[in-house]
Amino acid sequence: MLQIKDVYASVEGKDILKGISLTVNAGEVHAIMGPNGAGKSTLASIIAGKEEFELTKGEITINDEDITELGAEERAHKGVFLSFQYPVEIPGVSVTNFIKTAINENRKAKGLEDMPASEMLKKIKEKADLLEIDRKFLSRSLNVGFSGGEKKRNEIFQMAMLEPKLAILDETDSGLDIDALKVVANGVNKLKNKDNAVIIITHYQRLLDYIVPDFVHVIMDGKIVKSGTKQLAYELEEKGYDWIKEELV
Ligand SMILES: Nc1ncnc2c1ncn2[C@@H]1O[C@H](COP(=O)(O)OP(=O)(O)O)[C@@H](O)[C@H]1O
Ligand SMILES: [Mg+2]
């Protein structure tokens, strides 16, 4: 599904990613861990195609198609979903209206008509039921006065509605309480299937108590310095990141 080949990237002239290679297959959940400032969010942004970040070398493909030159919106239309680290508040626009617009934008880009209202309603109901989201929540203004858990619920609901091929969840926000973590974990567990893939970026091992990743990668100073199974996450929790640093010396 996703192939990152020897990617180097910079922000404002500063080199951040220094040769990242990663393959994510359909049906897999990958966790990316690493200390603050290691380049985790930069990696997420470079996959999603955010324009502040410049890919200086390497290639990113999705289902064998080179997306390196595509903008963020085009990548979204190809099924790449990046969670928002800083959700915007939009008074007067409900959770449902926001996602309706996003879905129809997506369809427009593919040359399709708007989704018929009845189909949209059915889908909203189905996904809300799956994620145990109540109707009142769906009519609230986007992110206005949302708690940490509600912001996550909204994000997971959007992901459920958009059905991305590749979802990247950047959970670096240390403000996440246990309820918010559970919302994310529960959503990912319900939405993952053999045709999609998830990359979860997290500073803390805690989230991985609820989502079992197939692979764990550790980024330090812009490079993947270690990959393994979920066992690696436990080792990191026990020994911290310094242990890997020492191993590298
Ligand atoms: N928009 C930006 N402008 C300048 N420097 C940035 C920007 N975004 C990230 N950086 C720098 O890039 C490095 C990696 O950041 P980031 O990818 O956010 O790390 P992580 O998510 O692993 O904590 C840090 O040194 C950070 O200061
Ligand atoms: Mg980050």
Side-chain angles (χ1 to χ4, degrees):
M1 155 133 3
L2 171 73
Q3 258 196 315
I4 300 174
K5 295 173 199 161
D6 199 27
V7 158
Y8 286 71
S10 62
V11 187
E12 293 174 3
K14 184 178 161 203
D15 295 328
I16 312 286
L17 300 184
K18 303 167 183 171
I20 299 246
S21 294
L22 177 69
T23 299
V24 176
N25 296 307
E28 293 176 349
V29 176
H30 290 242
I32 309 254
M33 304 184 71
N36 276 324
K40 302 182 297 296
S41 297
T42 303
L43 177 62
S45 301
I46 213 89
I47 300 171
K50 285 212 203 156
E51 54 198 39
E52 313 91 271
F53 297 83
E54 192 192 353
L55 190 142
T56 49
K57 182 172 178 268
E59 189 186 69
I60 302 174
T61 63
I62 288 208
N63 296 331
D64 296 325
E65 182 190 351
D66 186 350
I67 60 161
T68 315
E69 300 297 323
L70 298 184
E73 216 167 303
E74 288 167 292
R75 295 188 200 197
H77 296 150
K78 294 203 177 293
V80 178
F81 174 92
L82 174 61
S83 67
F84 322 100
Q85 226 174 304
Y86 307 102
V88 279
E89 296 187 6
I90 315 185
V93 173
S94 67
V95 169
T96 8
N97 277 331
F98 184 78
I99 194 63
K100 278 183 192 168
T101 306
I103 285 184
N104 285 330
E105 285 293 321
N106 226 328
R107 290 172 66 98
K108 204 194 256 171
K110 292 183 182 133
L112 299 170
E113 303 269 296
D114 280 2
M115 184 181 277
S118 60
E119 196 183 320
M120 183 74 83
L121 270 176
K122 192 168 152 241
K123 190 171 172 120
I124 289 171
K125 186 177 178 311
E126 182 192 308
K127 301 298 182 184
D129 286 350
L130 176 73
L131 299 171
E132 295 166 45
I133 290 174
D134 86 38
R135 296 302 144 78
K136 264 194 214 130
F137 178 74
L138 297 177
S139 56
R140 283 180 61 184
S141 280
L142 195 76
N143 287 318
V144 177
F146 280 14
S147 67
E150 285 167 342
K151 282 178 186 160
K152 289 290 138 185
R153 189 156 286 143
N154 173 49
E155 195 173 289
I156 291 292
F157 176 65
Q158 289 182 17
M159 180 176 143
M161 289 293 292
L162 290 165
E163 302 177 320
K165 286 194 198 119
L166 173 70
I168 307 166
L169 304 173
D170 192 346
E171 301 306 337
T172 177
D173 187 350
S174 52
L176 276 193
D177 58 22
I178 209 81
D179 285 343
L181 282 184
K182 283 184 182 165
V183 168
V184 172
N186 183 37
V188 167
N189 290 330
K190 281 187 171 161
L191 298 171
K192 71 173 186 190
N193 62 42
K194 64 177 179 27
D195 300 316
N196 62 22
V198 184
I199 297 178
I200 297 162
I201 298 176
T202 180
H203 183 68
Y204 301 101
Q205 189 271 340
R206 237 172 13 152
L207 178 62
L208 306 179
D209 287 339
Y210 303 101
I211 303 174
V212 179
D214 298 298
F215 299 97
V216 174
H217 312 276
V218 181
I219 296 194
M220 287 174 110
D221 192 23
K223 293 189 270 287
I224 294 182
V225 294
K226 206 169 177 63
S227 295
T229 60
K230 67 169 193 225
Q231 187 59 36
L232 177 56
Y234 293 123
E235 260 177 294
L236 286 170
E237 186 179 37
E238 200 183 312
K239 304 182 195 167
Y241 290 110
D242 288 344
W243 149 69
I244 295 185
K245 253 186 237 163
E246 282 155 22
E247 230 184 32
L248 290 172
V249 174

